[in-house]
Structure formats: C-alpha cells, structure tokens
Amino acid sequence: MSEIIVITSGKGGVGKTTTTANLGMGLAMRGKSTVLIDTDTGLRNLDLLLGLENRIMYDLIDVTQGRVPYKKALVRHKKVENLYLLPTSQVKDKSAVNPEELVKLCEGLRKEFDYILIDCPAGIEQGFQTAIAAADVAIVVTMPEISAVRDADKIIGELGRADKENIKLIVNRIRPQMVEAGDMLDMADINDILSIDCIGQVPDDKMVITSTNRGEPCITMDKSTAGQAYRNIVGRILGEQIPFMEFPKEGGVFSRLKRVFGM
C-alpha cells in the first residue's frame, strides 16, 4: 500500500524542501519507488536540490490542466533509478492547482509508487490547503527557535482542522552548544509545546550547504551528521526502531516559551 506524505512548515527557511529531497532520496536508496511533487508553485527549488533543473520539460500545471499525462512530466533521477520528481511551474502562482486536482493526480500515482512525497509551500494559504489534501501523513518541519515553534504549532492546528490526524515532527538545524548554553530550545521544551510524535532531530551541518550547491542531498554523504540524521528518519518511516542522536538536555528559555504560548 503506497503512502502519501506531505512535508510542511509554518514559515520558510526551516529546511522543508531540504527535508523532502533527503527523505525522498533515502527512501529510494532503500529500494522504495518514490516520487516527489513540488507544489511550491512560483518558488520551486526541489529540482535544484536534486540536480535536475536542466532536465525539466513539463510541470505540475501542465499535468493538472491536462496538457500532458503525468508520466511525461516525471523527471527520473540521474543516479537513483526509482526516484522521480514532478516539478511545478516557476511562473504560475499557487492558485493554479486546486486540492481536487492534486488528489486526483496522487490517486493515479499511488498505483505506481510506494511513496509520494509532497513539498508544501510555507504558511497556511491556498497552496498549503492544496498540498495537504491528498496526504495520509503530514510531517511538520521546524527549528529550535521560538518563532519557528510557534508557527509549527499553528500549522499543527490547521492540519487538525483539515482532519489530518497522522502528524509527525522533524526538528531541523539543532546546534547542541547553543542548546547546552540555553540559547536554543531543547527537545523537551519543543515536545511539551507541540505534543506530536517526533521522528527526526537533525543537527546543523555545513555539509547541507555543500550538498545543496552540488544538487546532491546530504543523505548520500557518509561524513554528514545531518545525512545520518536523515537516514535515521527514513528508517523510522519504514518502521524501524532507531534511537535519536544524543543532544544536551539543558535548556534555559522555557519561561519565555510559557509567555509566548500563554502556558
């Protein structure tokens, strides 16, 4: 049975598209047929992270408006044969696709792929509502910063109102030294506020920038700590029991969090 996973966030810049690229690559490397759908119309970047920007002929809008079948728009990865990308348009806006069109497309893709990952636009506007419509699972990506966690909390609320009950959390760009010094939220604080199942804790890693510039997700890099964290997340998605990387437990900003969240 295939699974549709939407990767979303309350704000931009938290690593949502990076997470989508790495999880898609990781699932494909584990032998799962995987397609990534970029729904961030007008601001697509998933093609760059996968090194596929020069191979795009058609896009999501061409498919949903019936100009080409989806098979013609899929871009196969150069190195991983069972990984595909369905890019979106760079020139249209997010109203160019509606939820019903995306649901219909995903139901067709279910017949051919084990995993369908949807890269959702940031925020809660129409693009968000479209991207989440077909999802079986929602993964919320945030960072250990008060503003990012508050925005993630709002996204979780919106997902609940859309009757999405299977919601997971990934905390990205963790800096252990800042956590230890009390200058960044620790996982205990984040879990207390968001109260959803955390499947990933990704450390801040300079190799992510290198991998982005190369168009090669860091999950393929043995020396990348973020890559190892993404490999662990993929294992958890596949049902494996994998312990989290160790991070310092000390916090120092929970009293401020209580004010921000009215706790």
Side-chain angles (χ1 to χ4, degrees):
M1 185 68 172
S2 64
E3 190 167 60
I4 301 173
I5 303 174
V6 64
I7 293 90
T8 184
S9 67
K11 62 185 294 184
V14 300
K16 170 180 53 59
T17 299
T18 298
T19 297
T20 305
N22 278 282
L23 296 187
M25 176 66 77
L27 287 165
M29 290 167 62
R30 294 288 299 269
K32 304 299 181 181
S33 57
T34 305
V35 60
L36 310 184
I37 306 176
D38 193 338
T39 63
D40 199 357
T41 305
L43 293 170
R44 78 177 188 213
N45 281 314
L46 199 48
D47 55 320
L48 293 172
L49 272 63
L50 294 169
L52 299 176
E53 65 274 12
N54 295 324
R55 305 184 68 188
I56 295 171
M57 296 290 292
Y58 302 102
D59 59 43
L60 176 64
I61 314 304
D62 292 319
V63 174
T64 57
Q65 294 185 355
R67 288 191 286 271
V68 298
Y70 71 78
K71 289 185 179 181
K72 200 166 185 178
L74 292 177
V75 182
R76 187 182 228 170
H77 195 271
K78 294 174 287 187
K79 297 180 180 178
V80 183
E81 290 188 354
N82 55 338
L83 178 63
Y84 291 80
L85 169 68
L86 179 53
T88 192
S89 171
Q90 286 183 300
V91 295
K92 301 289 185 179
D93 62 35
K94 291 170 180 59
S95 65
V97 183
N98 64 49
E100 292 77 16
E101 290 169 337
L102 190 64
V103 169
K104 182 179 178 181
L105 170 63
C106 287
E107 288 307 312
L109 291 167
R110 272 191 195 272
K111 300 172 185 176
E112 296 191 41
F113 292 93
D114 298 318
Y115 285 92
I116 301 161
L117 271 58
I118 301 172
D119 185 23
C120 178
I124 56 174
E125 306 305 326
Q126 181 176 340
F128 167 80
Q129 300 297 335
T130 296
I132 69 171
D136 304 313
V137 180
I139 294 177
V140 178
V141 181
T142 190
M143 291 168 51
E145 298 175 1
I146 290 176
S147 60
V149 172
R150 180 164 65 178
D151 288 346
D153 190 46
K154 188 168 185 179
I155 284 290
I156 293 165
E158 292 295 325
L159 288 166
R161 280 185 278 277
D163 296 323
K164 302 298 178 181
E165 298 179 355
N166 195 348
I167 308 172
K168 308 296 184 182
L169 178 68
I170 291 176
V171 181
N172 192 29
R173 300 186 66 178
I174 299 170
R175 300 183 181 183
Q177 290 182 332
M178 292 185 69
V179 173
E180 191 171 22
D183 295 326
M184 182 172 274
L185 306 186
D186 68 9
M187 285 306 306
D189 292 344
I190 295 171
N191 288 331
D192 282 343
I193 295 162
L194 300 182
S195 299
I196 60 173
D197 183 24
C198 181
I199 62 167
Q201 301 172 16
V202 184
D204 198 28
D205 181 358
K206 292 179 181 178
M207 290 189 74
V208 173
I209 298 173
T210 303
S211 71
T212 299
N213 291 334
R214 289 180 181 176
E216 181 181 350
C218 66
I219 197 168
T220 64
M221 300 178 177
D222 292 337
K223 295 182 180 180
S224 170
T225 55
Q228 181 59 57
Y230 283 123
R231 288 191 289 274
N232 291 347
I233 296 168
V234 168
R236 294 183 193 111
I237 290 173
L238 295 175
E240 298 170 8
Q241 299 296 316
I242 301 174
F244 288 104
M245 293 180 172
E246 290 293 327
F247 292 107
K249 304 296 184 185
E250 297 296 325
V253 292
F254 194 51
S255 59
R256 187 180 172 203
L257 273 170
K258 289 182 178 179
R259 295 195 300 272
V260 171
F261 286 87
M263 297 172 66

